[in-house]
Amino acid sequence: MSNNISKLRNIGIAAHIDAGKTTVSERILFFTGVNRKLGETHDGQATMDFMKQEQERGITIASAAITAHWKEHQINLIDTPGHVDFTIEVERSLRVIDGMVAVFCAVGGVEPQSETVWNQADKYRVPRIAFVNKMDRVGADFSEVVAQMNKYLGANAMPIHLPIGAESTFQGMIDLVTMQAVTFKEKERIVGEIPAEMLEQARAARHNMIEKLADYNDEIADLYLEEKEVEEPLLRRAIREATLKLLVTPVLCGAAYKNKGIQLLLDAIIDYLPSPTDLGAVIAHDPDDEEKTFQRHPSANEPFSALAFKLINDPYVGQQTFIRIFSGKLTSGMSVLNANKDKSERVGRIFRIKAKERQEITEAGPGEIVALVGMKYTRTGDTLCDENQPILLESISVPPAVIEMKVNLEDKKNRNRLGEALAKLTNEDPSFHSHFDEETEETIIAGMGELHLEILVERLRDEFKVPITVGAPSVSFRETITSASESNYRHVKQSGGKGQFAHTVIRFEPNPGKGFEFIDMTKGGVIPKEFMPSIQKGLLKAMAKSPVAGYPVVDVKCVLVDGSFHPVDSSDMAFQVCAAQCFKQGFKKADPIVMEPVMKVEVNTPDDFIGNVTRDLNKRRGRIENMRRFRKGSQKLDGFIPLMEMFGYATALRNITSGRANYSMEFYQYMPMPADKQAEIIKKRQEEEKGKA
């Protein structure tokens, strides 16, 4: 356990895919002595990318946590994926880190996923520094990346480095805080005088940095107005304060692959990113009363509180539950309360993790990120706390699954094994869902995108050894109502012995964006309170599959206005059946529509192909919101396009732009489909149903 919490840094590294953040992580591990040799993403040797699927594709899928040390500080490093299909990984990592290193490619600049990650970090108010990587690549432009950070991210970017050269002439950087030049030979950094030809430029850049800091620091403002020198310790303190308050983003540069700039990045993590004590108390609320709040400070003397943010299935030790401790002390063998499930959990073994290796420890304290073995009930987003002082910490928001795929077993004997594997995957990844369709006898899996499902299918085959065949991916549609309707349904069954009786009058109203809501407006006990859960259960069961096109129904308010019961023949089951039939009747009268997932899409294309790209997007029912100059000779298009029109888009875009454009997309929201498409979908669905019959 770290004795000095102020010397602890919980850091996430995040960026767009291919900006080089796993390479940055690998270099950090090398220079902090965690690794003796350098692992590379492209040869599948990266420490942080230890899943087979990551090594094959050269991308990061699961965020891995590693502990390293630098200058008497402990750094818990969390590497996160850059691919939008794994956005849940970024979301849950941001929930538990204190500071972030945002990596940008010096050529690509601010790319789509860097914007998504930046917005997620804004949501959790995570202080961050930026590292402009790949300064040695053709087309590298440091000042352009800084300009894009301000324009597209509102980052208030403040360079604390000035690159010496660019592309093949990139040698190192001028540190504007110490006013020294730092160059590199092999893996060593060489500190020297600023080259004479760059001295003027460096002074101007330092003057800009001090001018920016003068807005936030009175001491610096006084020195600036009196045109006096600002000493290095004051400058570091001012940069730290402004960074922690999210007022500025210090920008560094380097070339991780060539080992240039990593030691300076480590220094900046220590100097400018927060320790748990800097961020102070975390706010929690009473499990029984949301209005009642508590504070938990990062101190070993406070009651224990922690958030489970990730589950990994380890073939050697079983399920590992990663937690971030916010307060108090955890020891192995201790009993804690899972406040979400209201169940007691006994802490088995505690591990500090170095990617796939683990070091067993007997206790852990505030600010630490550790893995627990032996948790029975705990899932992602659950709060673990002191049994005598229950609290709930803010959980983790999970985006809806938008794409699904049918999975069939090659041999029915493996049904149990498939069930167990899917349960483990669902535990690990809350954005993945699966269910068994009784009618078709098929298993349906659903996730965030094609790549997401592709990787999960591979894991089922390789890791869990379940032989399966898969159907083509299909869009996960929803249905809802657009007008109010009332339905009066009486369920009576008399067939010898005890009968069944239930009667409900329910009003159905559109409830856009608010999901399912049930309100009991009955008076005088026409239906006893004990049957309310049964009515709700029946409604939810009916909403799982609409009576029109058979898709799940969302955003409906169900108001129970009247009804009646029989003292002998009314039962839970009778009211469930009655409510379900009442819903089916009312749904058809309330002008139902089919909703489709619409994606936010960004395309980067050279100017020559802009006409081809826009024509193709229009053909796909795309709505282009804006076009902006990306960098010389190329543009960015932002727009919204239905997911069903995006299948095969990667190939189409390659063909119409000779492979020179790229795109990214993420889920935006469910929106109503045009009437003609809706009719087409319903007809197709009804034919499928007939075929089954």
Side-chain angles (χ1 to χ4, degrees), residues 13 106 195 212 271 481 561 638:
I13 296 195
K212 195 179 274 271
D271 290 342
I481 56 175
V561 286
D638 291 321

Side-chain angles (χ1 to χ4, degrees), residues 354-496:
K354 181 202 144 180
K356 59 185 168 183
E357 291 169 25
R358 58 191 87 72
Q359 168 200 351
E360 189 161 351
I361 53 178
T362 53
E363 61 172 42
E368 295 247 43
I369 289 177
V370 291
L372 308 181
V373 174
M375 296 284 106
K376 283 186 184 148
Y377 311 107
T378 304
R379 302 287 172 263
T380 295
D382 285 357
T383 298
L384 296 175
C385 59
D386 186 308
E387 291 188 299
N388 302 317
Q389 303 197 40
I391 56 161
L392 272 178
L393 295 161
E394 184 194 344
S395 193
I396 294 163
S397 55
V398 180
V402 292
I403 190 165
E404 47 188 43
M405 195 184 263
K406 288 171 181 161
V407 174
N408 289 308
L409 284 163
E410 287 171 14
D411 185 344
K412 292 277 187 282
K413 283 202 299 250
N414 290 313
R415 184 175 278 186
N416 284 353
R417 202 196 294 176
L418 174 64
E420 281 165 25
L422 289 173
K424 282 178 181 169
L425 291 175
T426 311
N427 276 347
E428 277 184 30
D429 182 352
S431 64
F432 170 70
H433 305 281
S434 69
H435 70 272
F436 185 71
D437 188 322
E438 299 287 346
E439 289 175 35
T440 60
E441 292 206 334
E442 287 172 321
T443 299
I444 314 286
I445 58 172
M448 299 299 300
E450 290 181 81
L451 180 64
H452 187 199
L453 292 187
E454 196 182 302
I455 280 162
L456 288 163
V457 164
E458 278 183 28
R459 287 187 65 194
L460 283 171
R461 286 178 181 145
D462 300 341
E463 206 175 301
F464 296 100
K465 306 284 184 278
V466 184
I468 48 170
T469 55
V470 294
S474 63
V475 175
S476 183
F477 295 110
R478 298 281 183 272
E479 288 179 67
T480 192
I481 56 175
T482 55
S483 67
S485 78
E486 193 165 291
S487 174
N488 184 336
Y489 188 80
R490 190 182 289 268
H491 173 65
V492 186
K493 215 169 186 186
Q494 209 69 47
S495 54

Side-chain angles (χ1 to χ4, degrees), residues 87-132:
T87 189
I88 180 73
E89 291 287 342
V90 183
E91 185 87 17
R92 54 180 164 193
S93 301
L94 285 169
R95 178 64 190 87
V96 295
I97 59 176
D98 299 327
M100 181 172 107
V101 177
V103 180
F104 295 94
C105 169
V107 183
V110 173
E111 294 175 279
Q113 186 63 6
S114 24
E115 285 192 47
T116 305
V117 171
W118 196 271
N119 294 338
Q120 285 174 306
D122 277 342
K123 181 167 101 181
Y124 290 116
R125 296 195 57 74
V126 177
R128 63 215 85 149
I129 57 178
F131 181 72
V132 178

